[in-house]
Amino acid sequence: MDEKTKYCIKCGKKIPKAAKFCPFCGASQEPVSQKSEESQIKPQETSINSVNDEDYRDNNSNHPGMINSFKLYLADAFTISKQMNCADYWWSYLTIAIIQFVFSIITFQIVFNYPLLTVDSIEGETYIDHPGMLILAFFLSVIFAFFSVASFTSMIRRLHDTNHSGQFLWLLLIPFVGSIAILVMLILKSDSQGVRFRKKDYLQNWYKKWWPWVIILLLAALDTLLLMLISSAYAYILNN
């Protein structure tokens, strides 16, 4: 620690020596003394060695990587009133991209090799040829639905970390230009002013609540229905 910085008495991160409030966690800082500076070194050393509870609360890891960042991604899947630093966001994005790529291949094989829905044009009846594959397709849809929600909220937290509102995601409705604008925002460095988006009443242990699961299941049901229609249309084209 140099003469111009000190460690936050709460989260242990390095901040300007004259700061009265921590730009990372918002904690009020006591007057700096030699004794307090020495005591502040301990939390910093602890946070370097492990990802502690404060890291998960702030959705920032001192050791960004595929595992640590993915854990933060999962923990705050239904939380937007936080921040997410650039490294954690892109590491988790890489992890999700790999997982979704594998599951997409499996889904592709199911949809185009096993008709999930068959319509008898003569008798006017509709029936399911492969119920086992339909169940598997629904399971994959649940995973895709969860990742869709979690990726959306992580984008909002990343924007918060750059001191931008999640409302900027409306730019995605603008073809091409909007996507580029959001991409630029997502790769910006962290801005200490982004702490204004953080709230204490964020959702904890979302998997213990009922409404996140309702959202996931509804999205999964819609996705499964879409897969059934695509599979049925593909089978109809092949047979005619």
Side-chain angles (χ1 to χ4, degrees):
M1 182 174 66
D2 54 42
E3 297 180 354
K4 296 182 179 180
T5 60
K6 62 181 179 180
Y7 293 109
C8 173
I9 61 175
K10 185 175 182 180
C11 67
K13 294 184 179 179
K14 187 179 292 187
I15 61 176
K17 192 170 185 178
K20 295 183 179 180
F21 295 91
C22 176
F24 297 99
C25 68
S28 176
Q29 304 298 303
E30 297 177 352
V32 179
S33 64
Q34 183 176 358
K35 182 177 180 180
S36 63
E37 287 182 359
E38 292 176 354
S39 63
Q40 290 167 3
I41 296 178
K42 294 183 179 180
Q44 177 70 6
E45 293 175 345
T46 302
S47 62
I48 291 177
N49 295 326
S50 63
V51 179
N52 55 31
D53 293 338
E54 288 296 311
D55 292 324
Y56 283 89
R57 181 179 66 81
D58 295 336
N59 209 352
N60 287 285
S61 170
N62 286 319
H63 290 286
M66 294 186 71
I67 297 178
N68 286 340
S69 300
F70 185 59
K71 287 181 179 179
L72 297 177
Y73 173 92
L74 295 177
D76 286 333
F78 284 83
T79 300
I80 61 175
S81 56
K82 282 188 178 182
Q83 298 162 262
M84 192 173 195
N85 64 36
C86 188
D88 280 320
Y89 176 80
W90 288 109
W91 272 114
S92 63
Y93 184 90
L94 174 62
T95 306
I96 298 305
I98 295 174
I99 295 175
Q100 288 189 322
F101 175 75
V102 174
F103 286 156
S104 294
I105 294 177
I106 299 175
T107 303
F108 179 86
Q109 294 297 323
I110 293 175
V111 171
F112 294 104
N113 290 292
Y114 300 93
L116 301 178
L117 182 68
T118 301
V119 179
D120 191 330
S121 58
I122 299 177
E123 298 182 0
E125 296 182 355
T126 302
Y127 52 92
I128 298 174
D129 284 334
H130 305 280
M133 289 300 172
L134 180 59
I135 294 175
L136 179 58
F138 178 75
F139 174 75
L140 293 173
S141 294
V142 170
I143 297 176
F144 284 127
F146 169 75
F147 284 155
S148 297
V149 174
S151 296
F152 179 74
T153 59
S154 66
M155 288 179 68
I156 295 178
R157 294 193 301 275
R158 177 80 270 270
L159 290 176
H160 287 174
D161 192 56
T162 62
N163 195 28
H164 291 90
S165 170
Q167 297 291 339
F168 277 97
L169 289 180
W170 288 107
L171 292 175
L172 293 174
L173 297 178
I174 304 176
F176 188 68
V177 177
S179 299
I180 294 179
I182 293 299
L183 178 61
V184 171
M185 292 182 185
L186 293 176
I187 62 178
L188 292 176
K189 294 182 179 180
S190 299
D191 188 330
S192 60
Q193 298 299 318
V195 71
R196 65 191 177 95
F197 294 104
R198 191 179 302 168
K199 298 179 181 179
K200 294 182 179 180
D201 57 343
Y202 65 91
L203 178 65
Q204 301 184 55
N205 300 327
W206 62 266
Y207 47 85
K208 295 182 179 180
K209 311 293 183 180
W210 64 269
W211 61 266
W213 291 107
V214 171
I215 294 176
I216 292 175
L217 292 177
L218 286 176
L219 291 175
L222 292 175
D223 185 61
T224 303
L225 178 60
L226 179 61
L227 293 177
M228 293 173 66
L229 294 176
I230 294 175
S231 177
S232 177
Y234 180 74
Y236 178 80
I237 293 174
L238 290 180
N239 296 326
N240 291 277

